[in-house]
Amino acid sequence: MSRKYTKADLEEIVSVQLENLNAMHDLLSIMKHQNELLEKANKKLKDEVSDFKQKMYPKLPRRQSK
């Protein structure tokens, strides 16, 4: 059973596919932005943890060997 599509049917299918592609593009753009925000937050958190460790455990000067 093969279905015959009219030109209008095919135009409707292509239109719906284009809408879906545009929606996926929008979602990818949002995800890219969220990823950039996460990377920025992770870097800030990493720097804060590093600073905290340096305050908690300062490096002591090495003793001079005799």
Side-chain angles (χ1 to χ4, degrees):
M1 297 207 286
S2 111
R3 169 150 178 173
K4 300 283 184 179
Y5 290 99
T6 65
K7 183 177 179 184
D9 291 337
L10 295 174
E11 287 173 347
E12 170 105 15
I13 291 169
V14 169
S15 174
V16 170
Q17 287 177 332
L18 182 60
E19 286 177 25
N20 289 337
L21 283 173
N22 286 332
M24 288 186 348
H25 177 265
D26 293 343
L27 289 173
L28 284 172
S29 295
I30 291 168
M31 289 172 65
K32 181 179 178 185
H33 180 67
Q34 288 176 335
N35 192 44
E36 290 170 355
L37 292 174
L38 282 171
E39 286 176 352
K40 194 185 239 183
N42 283 340
K43 183 181 182 324
K44 184 176 179 182
L45 182 59
K46 181 181 175 184
D47 292 344
E48 287 178 4
V49 167
S50 178
D51 290 346
F52 179 76
K53 282 183 178 179
Q54 287 178 359
K55 288 177 185 172
M56 289 292 294
Y57 308 106
K59 292 183 178 177
L60 297 175
R62 289 190 159 187
R63 292 185 192 176
Q64 298 279 333
S65 297
K66 292 182 182 181

